[in-house]
Amino acid sequence: MYIKKIIFAIALIGLVAGGIFAYNVYQAVFSPNTNFESETTTVYIPTEGTYTELIEVVSPIVKDIYSFDRIARRKGYVNNIKAGRYIISKGLNNNEIINVLRSKNTPIYVNFNNQERLENLAGRIAGQIEADSISLIESFRAPSFLEANKFSLETALSMYVPNKYEFFWNTSAIQFRDRMLKEYKRFWNDKRMAKAKEIGLNPSQVVTIASIVQKETAKVDERPRVAGVYMNRYNNGWKLDADPTVIYAIKKHRNDWDVVIKRVLYKDLELDSPYNTYKYAELPPGPITMPDISSIDAVLNYEKHGYYFFVANVENMGYHKFAKTLSQHNRNKKQYVNWINKQGINR
């Protein structure tokens, strides 16, 4: 009888211990283990990140990092860490969190437009994906890549078509650049290539003129008309006489890309630069900014008209007055000069 009591007691203790163990296992695996109030939070795991780095990233978002660590080790996640961007929902348990981190790398949308230089583009992209600006600019400028794809340092910016693109956060600099090349080729489809050929330009030249149109007017509905002015000048062998190219030339000459120039002076027109279209009849060596798709299409579908001149319309700000003759243009220009002098804009 005594022995039976001992056996019963041992069995009871075992059941209690087993129950406690099972309860602890259940708690560790299936109990909610998030530590944030919002509906979701985002975790970024760097490329080649170690398990120690992962624990540092996860610690702030879980209540019990020790139970998370136990389950992660049991599930073999320690040696199977994958870089990426992961969205963790409020109330997930350790098992669910680890399953997300294993297989649900969530893409992001990368946006860019109107970047003035490759350096600006690199900085813009570096703020959105894992790749840093140094690796990005190095990939953009890689001589072997540029040569293989018929770009130069001056025309390289034209390869990046501004838009919204889906990427994984852990995209490398080279992966980003190569994807943009594919998007460039997709953009320059047979229809656009045929239109470029029809107006006597290649894609790089179209983008260069589009960059000037982009700088001249923010009004999308006016861009085909502005493009028509520059195409009239170009087709007749005139210099483009575009103020934005002079401003770009000044910035490049000074190596000061932050300077703000609101007024181009006559002395500026003498700056000896291939970007100065008051001095040279040829197109600039490359774009002076990254034009919108609307500006590129405005050049491809430029308005056919007889205008050769235009100046800001002070009676309808943002738009321009167009002229077919120099005398008509000078009358329009006088009105603009009087207005700008009253504003006290000297530079």
Side-chain angles (χ1 to χ4, degrees):
M1 189 71 177
Y2 180 72
I3 294 176
K4 287 183 179 180
K5 288 183 178 180
I6 293 176
I7 293 174
F8 177 77
I10 293 173
L12 184 61
I13 292 171
L15 286 172
V16 172
I20 293 172
F21 176 77
Y23 175 78
N24 288 335
V25 169
Y26 179 87
Q27 287 289 100
V29 177
F30 297 110
S31 291
N33 192 31
T34 54
N35 190 35
F36 49 88
E37 294 302 319
S38 57
E39 289 302 312
T40 62
T41 193
T42 304
V43 171
Y44 295 90
I45 301 177
T47 299
E48 298 182 359
T50 65
Y51 183 65
T52 300
E53 290 173 319
L54 171 79
I55 292 297
E56 291 178 359
V57 169
V58 172
S59 290
I61 71 161
V62 298
K63 293 178 180 177
D64 184 359
I65 191 61
Y66 301 105
S67 66
F68 172 87
D69 174 57
R70 288 202 307 274
I71 302 306
R73 292 180 183 278
R74 284 180 177 275
K75 290 173 70 71
Y77 177 63
V78 175
N79 299 314
N80 193 32
I81 298 170
K82 295 178 181 178
R85 171 180 177 265
Y86 301 93
I87 298 176
I88 309 299
S89 298
K90 181 180 179 181
L92 292 188
N93 57 49
N94 287 323
N95 188 59
E96 292 169 327
I97 293 171
I98 293 164
N99 286 343
V100 170
L101 297 177
R102 276 179 131 170
S103 61
K104 294 185 179 180
N105 187 4
T106 305
I108 59 172
Y109 284 107
V110 172
N111 299 275
F112 60 89
N113 63 349
N114 306 144
Q115 305 302 308
E116 200 168 41
R117 300 176 299 148
L118 290 173
E119 291 86 346
N120 301 114
L121 176 62
R124 170 72 175 156
I125 301 305
Q128 300 177 75
I129 63 174
E130 183 182 20
D132 60 39
S133 58
I134 294 176
S135 62
L136 284 162
I137 194 65
E138 287 176 350
S139 72
F140 296 168
R141 290 175 168 176
S144 58
F145 173 83
L146 294 176
E147 183 179 355
N149 294 287
K150 298 185 168 86
F151 290 104
S152 65
L153 284 174
E154 291 75 21
T155 63
L157 188 66
S158 63
M159 193 191 87
Y160 301 89
V161 181
N163 213 328
K164 181 169 72 173
Y165 300 97
E166 189 175 83
F167 280 93
F168 286 113
W169 171 79
N170 53 307
T171 297
S172 71
I174 291 176
Q175 287 172 331
F176 174 81
R177 179 202 65 190
D178 291 351
R179 163 75 181 283
M180 287 297 96
L181 177 61
K182 291 180 181 178
E183 296 294 342
Y184 171 83
K185 292 178 178 178
R186 185 178 291 115
F187 176 81
W188 283 102
N189 53 30
D190 291 344
K191 185 177 180 180
R192 283 195 174 97
M193 289 296 289
K195 286 187 175 181
K197 185 177 181 180
E198 183 181 329
I199 64 175
L201 301 174
N202 61 41
S204 180
Q205 291 171 319
V206 171
V207 173
T208 295
I209 295 177
S211 71
I212 299 172
V213 173
Q214 178 78 32
K215 284 290 189 179
E216 287 285 15
T217 178
K219 303 297 184 181
V220 174
D221 60 328
E222 190 184 51
R223 285 172 179 170
R225 178 164 291 190
V226 172
V229 171
Y230 284 120
M231 289 304 299
N232 284 345
R233 293 177 184 177
Y234 178 79
N235 289 332
N236 284 278
W238 291 23
K239 298 190 304 304
L240 295 188
D241 287 355
D243 286 2
T245 67
V246 178
I247 294 172
Y248 183 90
I250 293 170
K251 290 181 175 182
K252 187 173 178 63
H253 178 71
R254 295 180 181 176
N255 195 28
D256 182 357
W257 298 96
D258 296 322
V259 64
V260 176
I261 300 173
K262 295 183 179 180
R263 185 174 186 175
V264 173
L265 307 177
Y266 284 112
K267 67 178 182 179
D268 297 328
L269 307 184
E270 298 304 316
L271 178 62
D272 191 8
S273 166
Y275 288 93
N276 184 353
T277 57
Y278 278 88
K279 197 171 185 66
Y280 295 101
E282 297 83 5
L283 291 180
I288 59 171
T289 193
M290 178 187 290
D292 291 346
I293 292 175
S294 64
S295 291
I296 297 173
D297 284 341
V299 174
L300 291 174
N301 303 280
Y302 69 88
E303 185 178 312
K304 308 300 192 296
H305 54 58
Y307 298 126
Y308 283 82
F309 309 94
F310 65 97
V311 68
N313 185 350
V314 297
E315 297 170 344
N316 189 11
M317 298 306 295
Y319 286 93
H320 295 80
K321 285 188 174 182
F322 295 82
K324 296 180 179 180
T325 66
L326 183 58
S327 59
Q328 182 185 3
H329 172 65
N330 284 336
R331 288 194 296 272
N332 294 338
K333 182 180 177 182
K334 184 177 181 180
Q335 186 181 29
Y336 169 71
V337 171
N338 289 339
W339 178 85
I340 201 171
N341 285 336
K342 288 180 180 179
Q343 306 306 310
I345 300 174
N346 299 314
R347 190 52 169 159

